[in-house]
Amino acid sequence: MSPKHIVFKKVSHDKSVTVYMAKRDFVDHCDFVDPVDGVILIDPLQLQGRKVYVMLSCTFRYGRQDMDVMGVAFRRDLFLVTRQVYPELQDKDTLTHTKIQKKLLQKLGDNAFPFFFEFPDNLPCSVTLQPGPLDVGKKCAVEFEVKAFCGENRDEKINKQSSVRLSIRKIQFSPALSDVAPVAETTFEFLMSENPLHVKMSLPKETFYHGEPVKVNVDITNSSSRNIKDISLSVEQVTNVVLYSNDKYVKSVAIEETEDTVPAGTSLRTDYTLFPVLAYNRERRGLALDGRLKHEDTNLASSSIVKQDVLMDVQGILVSYKVVLRMIACGTLTSSDVCVELPFKLMNPNPEPAKDR
């Protein structure tokens, strides 16, 4: 094997099956998703005539693993497919293999068998909700897993000693950057004021990378008779939890409260900088984070990009972001809340294109 290639290996306790995979992150490119492929090495003596299966699953966990109410577990399989690997249903020499599979099959010998899965279009990416400081057990999350196991048939109870579970992730990277700068512009009219308040908010680009400051340009022209005060900006994470219903949770991940004012008949044009990063939000329960493997560090969840034709079929957790500008327009008798919103994307940059495997 070339030293440039990292191969993930996991062996069952009884050593009957071993799973080899070249990667554990699979990219959703919107128009297609990287297929899940690998190789399973079997020990015929340990199998004792049993068959070998491999399973790909996407699970939405919305409660602890040990929680069970009236026989109902707090988890739901969004996708589950199982295939028989051994005995072969199709001669492996007639199948199309990736380069890594070919090398593994040559290296491991006759007891190695390939497997291959494709994701459907309507699955979310790997996302987890940040637990509180006192929360224990499994997190609320969308999780993906490859499982290999032995048995007389695929439906019998899986023996943990003869099975292998390998967590994987479905992820998205930033699409090609657009030259269009997002702008939100609106006019507010007030009672007993002849002229309006005009507010314009813009961003230099549509997509920001994790860890990158978000620069916001604000242009306020106050032709009204009211005074503007308590100007604040925030980056809000909008998490849609889609299962039996569509529940929406909105949490601020960066806030800038200013002392700027715009008296009647004046204007204000300035830039503000917000820092929507996990480092400032580690104690915030319920924030959506990108899924992680084991104890790797992570970041705020990336914006979800879903094809319009499958949007209504997607279940799990979908995430979006927006900048929100708030202010108070103070009049002689009453005050009014003024709010302008501008959506944007927060994602990881697309790494260098991988060579054909």
Side-chain angles (χ1 to χ4, degrees), residues 213-278:
V214 177
K215 187 177 180 181
V216 186
N217 179 263
V218 174
D219 189 349
I220 302 173
T221 302
N222 185 13
S223 302
S224 74
S225 59
R226 297 197 176 190
N227 296 318
I228 304 300
K229 66 174 187 177
D230 294 345
I231 299 173
S232 67
L233 291 96
S234 62
V235 171
E236 295 188 350
Q237 181 190 77
V238 182
T239 304
N240 283 289
V241 179
V242 185
L243 193 59
Y244 302 106
S245 61
N246 189 349
D247 299 319
K248 182 180 292 186
Y249 303 92
V250 181
K251 293 182 178 292
S252 296
V253 294
I255 300 177
E256 176 74 16
E257 296 180 341
T258 79
E259 297 181 357
D260 295 334
T261 61
V262 190
T266 65
S267 61
L268 172 70
R269 185 170 187 176
T270 187
D271 292 328
Y272 300 101
T273 303
L274 299 167
F275 296 90
V277 294
L278 178 58

Side-chain angles (χ1 to χ4, degrees), residues 11 50 56 78 117 162 176 242 247 249 271 279 318 350:
V11 188
R50 293 174 295 173
L56 173 64
L78 302 181
F117 293 101
S162 303
V242 185
D247 299 319
Y249 303 92
D271 292 328
L318 301 177
N350 197 351

